[in-house]
Amino acid sequence: MTSRKRIALVHATPIAIDPIGIAFEAGWPEAERVNILEDSLSPDRARDGAITDQMSDRIVALARYARMIGSDAVLFTCSSFGTAIQRAASTLDIPVLKPNEAMFEAAIRKGGRTAMLYTFPPAREGMEAEFREEASRVSPSAEIESFLVDGAIDAVRAGDEATHNRLVAETAATIEGFDAITLAHFSTARALEAVQAATPIPVLTSPDAAVAKLRRLLT
């Protein structure tokens, strides 16, 4: 019998915790999950408008703490810290995953055009860069187009999940001509069923794809 794998989940906002928990229950319930919440990261990222050196140091410190407590892998669940997470990954001897890398890889393999629905504007530029980086390895001709779902993140932060899901689904219903739709943030994954009901295009979420990749890497 093999020991349970310990996965550190590093959150910059509490609204990411439930979606990744649900994904693990569905895709890898045997894994031991450790939640590390540092909820000043998200407002600081929005305030600064960029990933500062200090913020990058904070991300590295969180990853090192996760390693220190015996984690077999680290998954960051906020979409706004890609370059800092890459730096953290380069310093550790265990897998350190960005939130969306597994989802982007899956989307690129579905075809040439991916639509991304996002709700947190500071995350867009970095996520598009991550997509292009992943595409350079998998399919260099792949393209991404992003669609802001205005007001959705405010709704979910206020506890109004129904409005969040409706707004995301309404945006998805207007999208045509893409091979896949990606829900950009862990918090957006809660709209999966509503989006699937609104469009015939395959829909991918970060939590489900990340869990599947972690399980492949570690078992």
Side-chain angles (χ1 to χ4, degrees):
M1 181 180 295
T2 58
S3 60
R4 295 175 67 194
K5 299 298 184 180
R6 170 175 281 192
I7 312 298
L9 306 171
V10 183
H11 312 288
T13 173
I15 60 176
I17 295 176
D18 284 348
I20 188 59
I22 291 168
F24 266 102
E25 286 301 319
W28 194 12
E30 302 83 8
E32 178 189 359
R33 308 187 302 270
V34 178
N35 291 293
I36 302 170
L37 174 62
E38 210 293 60
D39 60 0
S40 71
L41 283 169
S42 187
D44 288 355
R45 174 68 175 84
R47 178 200 65 207
D48 295 342
I51 299 173
T52 64
D53 290 342
Q54 182 191 50
M55 187 169 292
S56 183
D57 290 344
R58 291 161 65 185
I59 294 294
V60 172
L62 287 164
R64 287 177 175 167
Y65 174 77
R67 180 68 180 90
M68 186 174 67
I69 63 173
S71 300
D72 297 290
V74 184
L75 172 63
F76 283 82
T77 66
C78 183
S79 307
S80 304
F81 303 97
T83 56
I85 297 169
Q86 283 181 289
R87 180 184 158 203
S90 72
T91 71
L92 296 187
D93 59 349
I94 58 173
V96 179
L97 269 62
K98 291 179 288 187
N100 303 294
E101 63 181 77
M103 178 180 69
F104 286 155
E105 179 182 349
I108 291 164
R109 294 189 187 283
K110 285 188 174 295
R113 299 194 71 214
T114 296
M116 181 175 73
L117 303 186
Y118 71 106
T119 64
F120 186 56
R124 175 182 176 173
E125 183 177 351
M127 293 180 67
E128 290 179 346
E130 289 175 26
F131 179 94
R132 290 190 290 270
E133 181 182 347
E134 188 64 37
S136 70
R137 291 190 291 267
V138 180
S139 176
S141 63
E143 301 175 353
I144 188 169
E145 185 172 344
S146 300
F147 300 84
L148 175 63
V149 186
D150 195 32
I153 197 167
D154 296 324
V156 78
R157 284 172 172 167
D160 188 354
E161 188 170 311
T163 295
H164 169 274
N165 296 352
R166 175 179 58 79
L167 291 171
V168 177
E170 286 175 354
T171 301
T174 68
I175 293 173
E176 297 180 349
F178 289 86
D179 299 294
I181 292 175
T182 56
L183 304 185
H185 320 291
F186 276 55
S187 61
T188 323
R190 54 181 33 89
L192 175 61
E193 291 186 4
V195 174
Q196 287 175 325
T199 178
I201 300 172
V203 184
L204 302 173
T205 73
S206 297
D208 291 326
V211 169
K213 181 167 184 174
L214 284 167
R215 187 167 190 171
R216 289 196 306 270
L217 288 173
L218 297 177
T219 62

